[in-house]
Amino acid sequence: MKQDFLKFPLHLIVRPFDGFWDMKYESKGKLKVALLIVLALILTTILQKQFAGFLVNMVDPRSLNSLDDLEFTILPFLLFCIANWSITTLMEGEGKFKEIVMAAGYALLPIVLINLPMTFISRFMTQEETAFYYLLNSISSIWFLVLLFVGIMTVHQYTPAKTVLTMVLTVVAMGFVVFIATLAFSLGSQLYWFIYDVYREIIFRT
Amino acid sequence: MQLKRVLLLVAIISLVASIGIPAASAATPYEAYTYDYYGDSSPLPAPYVPDTAITGASLGVGDFKEPSDMYVTPNNTTYILDSGNARIIVLDADMHVNHIIKTFTNNGKEDGFAAPQGLFVSDKNELYVADTDNGRVVVLSEKGDLIRIIANPKSDILPAGFKFVPLKVTVDSADRVFVIARGVFEGIMQFDDKNNFMGYVGTINVSPTVWDRLWKSLSTKAQKAQMQLFIPTEFSNVDIDSKGFVYATAVDITSSTPIKRLNPSGDDVLKRLGYWDVKGDIRFRMFGNNSGPSKFTDIKVLGGGMYVALDSNRARLFTYNDEGDLLYAFGGRGNQLGVFNTPVAVEKIGDKLAVLDSGKKNIVIFRPTKFGTLVGQATTEHYNGNDDVAVTIWSDVLRLNTNYEIAYLGIGKSLLMQKNNEKAMEYFKLGMSRKNFSVAYKRYRREVLKEQFGTFMTVVLALIIAFIAYRVARLVIRRRAVKHEAGLS
């Protein structure tokens, strides 16, 4: 239990090559741990928007919506995983979908670990000290990107160059998915309104 | 049952009672507002309500014809420049006609105005009239006798064949005359008391955008010749404050600084410390009706660091304090009393405001409400440094409008002066000023740390001792256990 939830993730974020290897080949990674990290990230985002110090909290309180935070974290996460899986399947990637989800999930851990305490610390900062807040938040984001890169590379057994290529293609694929989803939604709603109109026409004629 | 009846009775009585009482707020044909921290317009109680309208007919001098400017002296004498009729109507403090200036004696001959556009009355009660179509600025005494004429400026920096078409005029205490002339893009023309042209002040700089430059570098010479020139916009009006700073407005739809405060050497020193640009409306439609940024036609210094600018686009009045916070905006287009058709000039008569409407040919007098008066007083007190007085007034303002960020800031600043840092933090948070909050918080944190330093160190020391004791105890127990296992004891 302690091994799965604490030791292994912490080991992974500081020794990513080793960690992701163990995750894939020693099956030390657990899907539920990865998903738990995503949940923790959502919680972090919500807490950060709500409780970060006044000096760094630029969010309009009227626009706070935890459900939005939920879907704007989960949807991009899933979108990335699906897009990456679609691309890498075609490009001889060795990773399974589950492993992609795990790699992306574990990579998010630094954001949770840094941003959550920073939210608390930011309440005791003056304007001059907020630079540290932004610095540490940037570090966590960069750390996340590095981990994601290494994770995808290890999971699919790619070379670095190929990883960069697939990452770019993944972003393009994400764009495609969003575009097609919007298109489908728009068509669907038009179909719905068409049927609704026909229905109304019929009941008003009779 | 009994209770129900009583309740019903109470309801009926309160309904009936409410009919008798007139609504507490005076009805205005416009909604006053200011912009909050998030850039949304937040409604305010009306700061001014329309009182009366004065027309030429009501004064008994015949209708105004294209009136273009007016001026009110500190002792409330009103001068109306009735351009179409080429006359100046002088009203006394009770708004009755005192006399009319239509002609003056120039070199023994009768002389008059031709479509004059600007009027200013100096501290010495001398009238400065921008006699536009005659191409001169006429200086008259209070009675209407000619003192001097500024015409045909001569200077090396003026092009040959320069035509002097003055539009607006203002004068400082040293009788230096600032003239806005048509077709002059270099700035405001400055004349000394001997009618000599001294040069320009307040030149508006134009800087072409990156896109403009790129486009220009790609186009041919013939295309370049066809292109619009990058010339700065002209100023639209000027006023002067008691310290001799010139307030000028420019109609420049791309600029974020259409209002300028020029120091004697011509630099713009207007404070723009508010959340938003000092440019009137910051949110507006880009196309269609009522679109585009505010276009200021007049500006008036109100005292206490406040100034009011008149927007001819949406016919609104914007009042700012000395730090560039929008205190309130009100007005609009329409036919009722209090909204305008073509507002051209704004003046201050005592604590009232007067707006000259060229389209409706009248002057609307606005009377300040309790809210407007309190805001004005508090701003003035704060400007003069009497922060403790300002605080009590700001508290009254907040009672009338709890969404007024400037009031929170005003109270916060004075609390900060009084070293009441914790309370100041609260008010700065409500006023959404992060900079001031940070200052207050820094002091508060230092205070708390100083106070709690003893406790803090005690706790830390206690924890360290406890930790050492724990380690020692563990060590002892283990050793004993080892000895025990070894069967030594």
Side-chain angles (χ1 to χ4, degrees):
Chain A
M1 198 66 184
K2 195 180 168 192
Q3 174 68 27
D4 282 345
F5 282 94
L6 215 62
K7 276 200 171 162
F8 177 67
L10 289 180
H11 170 74
L12 182 139
I13 59 171
V14 286
R15 299 251 187 287
F17 288 97
D18 200 19
F20 282 115
W21 182 275
D22 287 354
M23 184 195 84
K24 187 174 160 76
Y25 293 106
E26 313 286 326
S27 57
K28 279 193 178 169
K30 291 273 185 303
L31 190 62
K32 62 178 175 194
V33 178
L35 294 180
L36 203 70
I37 293 171
V38 176
L39 276 181
L41 176 73
I42 295 165
L43 198 69
T44 309
T45 319
I46 293 170
L47 289 177
Q48 194 170 29
K49 284 187 176 174
Q50 179 79 47
F51 293 113
F54 175 63
L55 293 175
V56 292
N57 196 344
M58 303 295 171
V59 184
D60 183 349
R62 294 168 299 181
S63 72
L64 282 180
N65 185 346
S66 300
L67 285 177
D68 274 357
D69 291 336
L70 182 82
E71 57 194 68
F72 287 125
T73 316
I74 287 193
L75 286 182
F77 180 78
L78 285 181
L79 193 62
F80 172 82
C81 294
I82 292 168
N84 190 265
W85 177 78
S86 322
I87 293 293
T88 50
T89 314
L90 298 176
M91 294 183 69
E92 292 147 10
E94 288 179 15
K96 300 181 195 123
F97 184 69
K98 188 183 155 191
E99 286 164 359
I100 298 172
V101 173
M102 277 197 294
Y106 278 111
L108 287 168
L109 189 60
I111 301 189
V112 177
L113 287 184
I114 294 183
N115 288 18
L116 204 54
M118 282 318 283
T119 303
F120 179 70
I121 295 169
S122 72
R123 300 178 70 88
F124 303 100
M125 282 179 166
T126 60
Q127 192 107 59
E128 300 86 54
E129 291 150 14
T130 54
F132 289 103
Y133 175 82
Y134 295 117
L135 177 75
L136 280 164
N137 280 7
S138 317
I139 287 176
S140 75
S141 306
I142 292 167
W143 196 348
F144 156 69
L145 288 176
V146 170
L147 286 182
L148 189 68
F149 181 79
V150 175
I152 294 299
M153 197 165 89
T154 315
V155 159
H156 297 303
Q157 293 296 300
Y158 279 158
T159 58
K162 199 168 181 186
T163 314
V164 172
L165 180 70
T166 48
M167 284 296 212
V168 171
L169 286 175
T170 304
V171 173
V172 174
M174 284 165 81
F176 269 114
V177 173
V178 170
F179 173 70
I180 289 169
T182 324
L183 200 69
F185 178 77
S186 152
L187 282 177
S189 64
Q190 282 193 14
L191 195 69
Y192 168 77
W193 287 112
F194 172 71
I195 293 167
Y196 182 75
D197 281 347
V198 169
Y199 164 75
R200 268 210 317 200
E201 197 73 14
I202 289 166
I203 58 165
F204 284 135
R205 292 260 166 148
T206 49
Chain B
M1 205 61 217
Q2 193 72 31
L3 184 72
K4 219 173 187 180
R5 252 183 221 169
V6 171
L7 279 178
L8 195 66
L9 196 68
V10 169
I12 290 170
I13 288 173
S14 54
L15 258 181
V16 170
S18 66
I19 295 168
I21 305 165
S25 67
T28 51
Y30 46 77
E31 270 183 44
Y33 62 93
T34 182
Y35 287 106
D36 66 7
Y37 172 78
Y38 295 104
D40 296 330
S41 65
S42 85
L44 299 177
Y48 285 91
V49 289
D51 213 1
T52 50
I54 296 169
T55 61
S58 79
L59 291 170
V61 292
D63 275 337
F64 300 144
K65 197 177 163 195
E66 293 162 19
S68 58
D69 205 358
M70 68 171 169
Y71 192 84
V72 180
T73 60
N75 58 15
N76 292 350
T77 312
T78 308
Y79 296 81
I80 305 162
L81 185 64
D82 191 2
S83 307
N85 294 325
R87 62 179 178 178
I88 297 165
I89 301 161
V90 186
L91 309 182
D92 58 22
D94 305 322
M95 303 306 274
H96 296 303
V97 178
N98 192 307
H99 61 280
I100 295 174
I101 301 169
K102 207 162 164 65
T103 56
F104 52 90
T105 319
N106 182 9
N107 281 335
K109 274 184 276 178
E110 280 285 274
D111 203 347
F113 309 112
Q117 295 295 312
L119 174 72
F120 189 84
V121 183
S122 72
D123 299 343
K124 296 164 192 154
N125 276 332
E126 293 169 352
L127 274 68
Y128 288 74
V129 184
D131 194 359
T132 308
D133 282 5
N134 286 333
R136 61 185 180 180
V137 174
V138 180
V139 186
L140 302 174
S141 76
E142 205 177 345
K143 295 277 167 292
D145 303 322
L146 183 71
I147 298 174
R148 60 190 172 112
I149 287 178
I150 302 169
N152 298 323
K154 296 269 182 300
S155 171
D156 296 340
I157 59 172
L158 290 174
F162 173 76
K163 204 158 179 298
F164 182 51
V165 187
L167 291 175
K168 298 290 172 191
V169 60
T170 194
V171 183
D172 72 3
S173 53
D175 279 346
R176 282 195 301 179
V177 185
F178 299 89
V179 178
I180 292 173
R182 188 179 289 153
V184 174
F185 303 101
E186 288 88 344
I188 300 169
M189 299 179 84
Q190 201 183 355
F191 295 89
D192 66 7
D193 55 347
K194 304 280 184 306
N195 306 345
N196 297 316
F197 176 58
M198 292 164 69
Y200 298 106
V201 288
T203 307
I204 302 176
N205 293 316
V206 273
S207 47
T209 58
V210 179
W211 175 248
D212 284 333
R213 274 183 208 172
L214 183 76
W215 194 240
K216 205 158 191 178
S217 68
L218 291 175
S219 33
T220 63
K221 223 170 199 175
Q223 283 172 328
K224 271 182 204 164
Q226 291 265 312
M227 265 183 198
Q228 216 177 345
L229 286 171
F230 290 114
I231 41 176
T233 42
E234 291 171 80
F235 282 103
S236 57
N237 217 321
V238 274
D239 195 30
I240 198 157
D241 70 3
S242 56
K243 293 176 185 168
F245 287 84
V246 174
Y247 285 72
T249 53
V251 181
D252 186 354
I253 52 168
T254 56
S255 167
S256 61
T257 58
I259 297 174
K260 290 173 200 300
R261 182 177 188 236
L262 306 171
N263 68 5
S265 58
D267 301 315
D268 181 13
V269 292
L270 191 75
K271 281 194 196 168
R272 298 184 178 90
L273 305 175
Y275 298 134
W276 301 102
D277 287 337
V278 183
K279 60 175 227 180
D281 280 319
I282 55 159
R283 284 200 170 175
F284 43 81
R285 265 183 264 168
M286 297 307 290
F287 305 101
N289 280 344
N290 262 336
S291 60
S294 302
K295 292 174 184 157
F296 293 114
T297 51
D298 197 12
I299 187 161
K300 181 70 195 171
V301 180
L302 298 178
M306 293 183 286
Y307 49 94
V308 57
L310 178 63
D311 165 24
S312 65
N313 189 11
R314 272 175 289 270
R316 288 175 184 165
L317 292 157
F318 293 88
T319 308
Y320 289 92
N321 68 6
D322 64 310
E323 297 188 338
D325 297 306
L326 179 63
L327 292 176
Y328 39 75
F330 66 95
R333 267 179 210 290
N335 293 319
Q336 301 106 307
L337 177 68
V339 281
F340 317 112
N341 182 333
T342 319
V344 289
V346 56
E347 280 297 326
K348 164 181 177 278
I349 309 177
D351 59 348
K352 294 178 178 178
L353 279 184
V355 176
L356 178 64
D357 192 328
S358 166
K360 285 186 175 175
K361 301 180 178 61
N362 67 4
I363 296 168
V364 184
I365 311 285
F366 288 90
R367 148 175 68 84
T369 59
K370 193 180 174 198
F371 177 72
T373 314
L374 288 174
V375 171
Q377 280 172 356
T379 310
T380 312
E381 293 296 347
H382 176 68
Y383 181 73
N384 294 333
N386 305 327
D387 276 303
D388 37 342
V389 186
V391 166
T392 52
I393 308 174
W394 280 131
S395 322
D396 289 341
V397 170
L398 285 178
R399 211 162 292 140
L400 296 171
N401 179 18
T402 31
N403 288 329
Y404 206 48
E405 283 169 356
I406 299 161
Y408 288 115
L409 287 184
I411 294 178
K413 277 174 192 164
S414 108
L415 287 170
L416 196 63
M417 294 267 194
Q418 295 160 12
K419 297 210 162 58
N420 191 346
N421 300 323
E422 196 179 1
K423 203 91 185 135
M425 276 161 57
E426 189 185 310
Y427 276 93
F428 285 136
K429 210 167 181 177
L430 286 167
M432 296 303 289
S433 171
R434 295 206 156 80
K435 208 180 79 199
N436 287 311
F437 176 87
S438 174
V439 174
Y441 179 69
K442 205 176 191 173
R443 293 188 191 172
Y444 172 69
R445 194 176 62 177
R446 195 187 301 144
E447 245 170 51
V448 172
L449 281 182
K450 254 185 205 166
E451 249 170 51
Q452 304 295 330
F453 188 70
T455 334
F456 176 73
M457 283 315 280
T458 316
V459 169
V460 168
L461 275 179
L463 281 177
I464 292 172
I465 291 169
F467 183 70
I468 293 170
Y470 164 74
R471 292 304 288 254
V472 168
R474 206 170 67 164
L475 208 67
V476 169
I477 289 166
R478 270 197 193 161
R479 275 193 189 161
R480 257 187 212 164
V482 171
K483 275 181 191 170
H484 189 73
E485 269 171 31
L488 291 175
S489 60

